[in-house]
Amino acid sequence: MPKIKLYNNIAQIGLDQFTPDYEVNENMEDEDAILVRSANLHDIEYGNNLKAIARAGAGVNNIDIDACTKKGIAVFNTPGANSNAVKELVIAALLLTSRKIVPGIEWAGTLKGKGDEVGKLVEKGKSSFVGPEIAGKTLGVVGLGAIGI
């Protein structure tokens, strides 16, 4: 039975892809493969049975590529796996910053306990948070790989 050692929390939807023919967990020795997200693997001892390291994400900077090459350990990543999430966060950040939403929320928090004054304070203060509308603007996302598409 192939043994896959986990070094980070991996989404259950991903772990569900392994059939019962695999042993997958964080507590094992003599693993055949490692599945990692962001844990630093530069300071670990790569076992003699290790055949592959899969990075659940883009890049492999947290893996000692030179040591793996010397031992014949295949290293690969999953670029683009989270690209939709990153794209959505970019759009959310664009809206949050353009419309001054975070400062507005922070300001609204200062109204707590103002009772009957809140209505007047809102009318007086809300114009401070007017931001430019995105409608009619040309937007571009500069990025690498699947993120900038």
Side-chain angles (χ1 to χ4, degrees), residues 72-112:
I73 301 167
V75 176
F76 54 95
N77 61 2
T78 57
N82 65 345
S83 62
N84 284 341
V86 173
K87 290 173 192 179
E88 290 171 0
L89 289 170
V90 168
I91 291 169
L94 178 67
L95 294 171
L96 285 168
T97 56
S98 176
R99 303 304 299 168
K100 301 179 185 176
I101 293 171
V102 172
I105 291 170
E106 291 170 349
W107 173 77
T110 67
L111 302 176
K112 186 175 183 176

Coordinates of all heavy atoms in Angstrom, one line a residue, residues 72-112:
G72 N 17.0 11.4 -6.5 CA 16.1 10.9 -7.5 C 14.6 11.0 -7.2 O 13.8 10.2 -7.6
I73 N 14.3 12.0 -6.3 CA 12.9 12.2 -5.9 C 12.2 13.2 -6.9 O 12.7 14.3 -7.1 CB 12.9 12.8 -4.4 CG1 13.6 11.8 -3.5 CG2 11.4 13.1 -4.0 CD1 13.8 12.4 -2.1
A74 N 11.1 12.8 -7.4 CA 10.4 13.7 -8.3 C 9.7 14.7 -7.5 O 9.1 14.4 -6.5 CB 9.4 12.9 -9.2
V75 N 9.7 16.0 -8.0 CA 9.1 17.1 -7.3 C 8.2 17.8 -8.4 O 8.6 18.1 -9.5 CB 10.1 18.1 -6.8 CG1 9.4 19.3 -6.2 CG2 11.0 17.4 -5.7
F76 N 6.9 18.0 -8.0 CA 6.0 18.7 -8.9 C 5.0 19.5 -8.1 O 4.9 19.3 -6.9 CB 5.3 17.7 -9.8 CG 4.6 16.6 -9.2 CD1 3.2 16.7 -8.9 CD2 5.3 15.4 -8.8 CE1 2.6 15.6 -8.2 CE2 4.6 14.4 -8.2 CZ 3.3 14.5 -7.9
N77 N 4.4 20.5 -8.8 CA 3.4 21.3 -8.1 C 2.1 21.3 -8.9 O 2.0 20.6 -9.9 CB 4.0 22.7 -8.0 CG 4.3 23.4 -9.3 OD1 4.0 22.8 -10.4 ND2 4.8 24.6 -9.3
T78 N 1.2 22.1 -8.4 CA -0.2 22.1 -9.0 C -0.5 23.5 -9.4 O -1.4 24.1 -8.8 CB -1.2 21.5 -8.1 OG1 -1.2 22.2 -6.8 CG2 -1.0 20.0 -7.8
P79 N 0.2 24.1 -10.3 CA -0.1 25.5 -10.6 C -1.5 25.7 -11.2 O -2.0 24.8 -11.9 CB 0.9 25.8 -11.7 CG 1.3 24.5 -12.3 CD 1.2 23.5 -11.2
G80 N -2.1 26.7 -10.8 CA -3.5 27.0 -11.3 C -4.6 26.4 -10.4 O -5.7 26.7 -10.6
A81 N -4.2 25.5 -9.4 CA -5.2 24.9 -8.6 C -6.1 25.9 -7.8 O -7.2 25.6 -7.6 CB -4.5 23.9 -7.6
N82 N -5.5 27.0 -7.4 CA -6.3 28.0 -6.7 C -6.5 29.3 -7.5 O -6.8 30.3 -7.0 CB -5.6 28.3 -5.4 CG -4.2 29.0 -5.5 OD1 -3.7 29.0 -6.6 ND2 -3.7 29.5 -4.5
S83 N -6.3 29.2 -8.8 CA -6.3 30.4 -9.6 C -7.7 31.1 -9.6 O -7.8 32.3 -9.6 CB -5.9 30.2 -11.1 OG -6.7 29.3 -11.7
N84 N -8.8 30.3 -9.6 CA -10.1 30.9 -9.5 C -10.3 31.7 -8.2 O -10.8 32.8 -8.2 CB -11.2 29.9 -9.6 CG -11.4 29.5 -11.1 OD1 -11.0 30.2 -12.0 ND2 -12.0 28.3 -11.3
A85 N -9.8 31.1 -7.1 CA -9.9 31.8 -5.8 C -9.1 33.1 -5.8 O -9.6 34.1 -5.3 CB -9.4 30.9 -4.7
V86 N -7.9 33.1 -6.4 CA -7.1 34.3 -6.4 C -7.8 35.4 -7.3 O -7.9 36.5 -7.0 CB -5.7 34.0 -7.0 CG1 -4.9 35.3 -7.2 CG2 -5.0 33.1 -6.0
K87 N -8.4 34.9 -8.4 CA -9.1 35.9 -9.3 C -10.2 36.5 -8.6 O -10.5 37.7 -8.7 CB -9.6 35.2 -10.6 CG -8.5 34.8 -11.5 CD -9.0 33.9 -12.6 CE -8.0 33.2 -13.4 NZ -8.5 32.4 -14.5
E88 N -11.0 35.7 -7.8 CA -12.1 36.3 -7.1 C -11.7 37.3 -6.0 O -12.3 38.3 -5.8 CB -12.9 35.1 -6.5 CG -13.7 34.3 -7.5 CD -14.3 33.0 -6.9 OE1 -14.1 32.8 -5.7 OE2 -14.9 32.3 -7.7
L89 N -10.5 37.0 -5.4 CA -10.0 37.9 -4.3 C -9.5 39.2 -5.0 O -9.7 40.2 -4.4 CB -8.9 37.2 -3.6 CG -9.3 36.1 -2.6 CD1 -8.2 35.4 -2.0 CD2 -10.2 36.7 -1.5
V90 N -9.0 39.1 -6.2 CA -8.6 40.3 -6.9 C -9.8 41.2 -7.1 O -9.7 42.4 -6.9 CB -7.8 40.0 -8.2 CG1 -7.6 41.2 -9.0 CG2 -6.5 39.4 -7.9
I91 N -10.8 40.6 -7.6 CA -12.1 41.4 -7.9 C -12.6 42.0 -6.6 O -13.0 43.1 -6.6 CB -13.1 40.5 -8.6 CG1 -12.6 40.2 -10.0 CG2 -14.5 41.2 -8.7 CD1 -13.4 39.1 -10.7
A92 N -12.6 41.2 -5.5 CA -13.1 41.7 -4.2 C -12.3 42.8 -3.8 O -12.8 43.8 -3.3 CB -13.1 40.5 -3.2
A93 N -10.9 42.7 -3.9 CA -10.1 43.8 -3.5 C -10.3 45.0 -4.3 O -10.2 46.2 -3.8 CB -8.6 43.3 -3.5
L94 N -10.5 44.8 -5.6 CA -10.8 46.0 -6.5 C -12.0 46.7 -6.0 O -12.0 48.0 -5.9 CB -11.0 45.5 -7.9 CG -11.3 46.5 -8.9 CD1 -10.1 47.5 -9.2 CD2 -11.7 45.8 -10.3
L95 N -13.1 46.0 -5.7 CA -14.3 46.6 -5.2 C -14.1 47.3 -3.9 O -14.6 48.4 -3.6 CB -15.5 45.6 -5.2 CG -15.9 45.1 -6.6 CD1 -16.8 44.0 -6.5 CD2 -16.5 46.2 -7.4
L96 N -13.5 46.5 -3.0 CA -13.3 47.0 -1.6 C -12.5 48.4 -1.6 O -12.8 49.3 -0.9 CB -12.5 46.0 -0.7 CG -13.3 44.8 -0.3 CD1 -12.4 43.7 0.3 CD2 -14.4 45.2 0.7
T97 N -11.5 48.4 -2.4 CA -10.7 49.6 -2.4 C -11.3 50.8 -3.2 O -11.2 51.9 -2.8 CB -9.2 49.4 -3.0 OG1 -9.3 48.8 -4.3 CG2 -8.5 48.4 -2.1
S98 N -11.9 50.5 -4.3 CA -12.5 51.5 -5.2 C -13.7 52.2 -4.4 O -13.8 53.4 -4.5 CB -13.0 50.9 -6.5 OG -13.7 51.9 -7.2
R99 N -14.5 51.4 -3.7 CA -15.7 52.0 -3.1 C -15.4 52.3 -1.6 O -16.3 52.7 -0.9 CB -16.8 51.0 -3.2 CG -17.2 50.6 -4.6 CD -17.5 51.7 -5.5 NE -18.7 52.4 -5.0 CZ -19.1 53.6 -5.5 NH1 -18.4 54.2 -6.4 NH2 -20.1 54.2 -4.9
K100 N -14.2 52.2 -1.1 CA -13.8 52.6 0.2 C -14.6 51.9 1.3 O -15.1 52.5 2.3 CB -13.9 54.1 0.4 CG -13.0 54.9 -0.5 CD -13.1 56.4 -0.3 CE -12.3 57.1 -1.3 NZ -12.4 58.6 -1.2
I101 N -14.9 50.6 1.0 CA -15.8 49.8 1.9 C -15.2 49.6 3.3 O -15.9 49.8 4.3 CB -16.1 48.5 1.2 CG1 -17.0 48.8 0.0 CG2 -16.8 47.5 2.2 CD1 -17.2 47.6 -0.9
V102 N -13.9 49.2 3.4 CA -13.3 49.0 4.7 C -13.3 50.2 5.6 O -13.7 50.2 6.7 CB -11.9 48.3 4.5 CG1 -11.2 48.2 5.9 CG2 -12.0 47.0 3.9
P103 N -12.9 51.4 5.0 CA -12.9 52.6 5.9 C -14.4 52.9 6.3 O -14.6 53.4 7.4 CB -12.4 53.7 5.0 CG -11.5 53.0 4.1 CD -12.1 51.7 3.8
G104 N -15.3 52.6 5.4 CA -16.7 52.8 5.7 C -17.2 51.9 6.8 O -17.9 52.4 7.7
I105 N -16.8 50.7 6.8 CA -17.2 49.8 7.9 C -16.6 50.2 9.2 O -17.2 50.2 10.3 CB -16.7 48.3 7.5 CG1 -17.6 47.8 6.4 CG2 -16.8 47.4 8.7 CD1 -17.1 46.5 5.8
E106 N -15.3 50.6 9.1 CA -14.6 51.1 10.4 C -15.3 52.3 10.9 O -15.5 52.4 12.1 CB -13.1 51.4 10.1 CG -12.4 50.1 9.8 CD -10.9 50.4 9.3 OE1 -10.6 51.5 8.9 OE2 -10.2 49.4 9.2
W107 N -15.7 53.2 10.0 CA -16.4 54.5 10.5 C -17.8 54.1 11.1 O -18.2 54.6 12.1 CB -16.5 55.4 9.3 CG -17.4 56.6 9.6 CD1 -17.0 57.7 10.3 CD2 -18.8 56.8 9.2 NE1 -18.1 58.6 10.4 CE2 -19.2 58.0 9.7 CE3 -19.7 56.0 8.5 CZ2 -20.4 58.5 9.5 CZ3 -20.9 56.6 8.3 CH2 -21.3 57.8 8.8
A108 N -18.5 53.2 10.4 CA -19.8 52.8 10.9 C -19.7 52.2 12.4 O -20.5 52.4 13.2 CB -20.4 51.7 10.0
G109 N -18.5 51.5 12.6 CA -18.3 51.0 14.0 C -18.2 52.1 15.0 O -18.5 51.9 16.2
T110 N -17.8 53.3 14.6 CA -17.7 54.4 15.6 C -19.0 55.0 16.0 O -19.1 55.8 16.9 CB -16.8 55.6 15.0 OG1 -17.5 56.2 13.9 CG2 -15.4 55.1 14.6
L111 N -20.1 54.6 15.2 CA -21.4 55.1 15.5 C -22.1 54.3 16.6 O -23.2 54.7 17.1 CB -22.3 55.1 14.2 CG -21.7 55.9 13.1 CD1 -22.6 55.8 11.8 CD2 -21.6 57.4 13.5
K112 N -21.5 53.2 17.0 CA -22.2 52.4 18.0 C -22.4 53.2 19.3 O -21.4 53.9 19.8 CB -21.3 51.2 18.3 CG -21.9 50.2 19.3 CD -21.1 48.9 19.4 CE -21.8 47.9 20.3 NZ -21.0 46.7 20.4

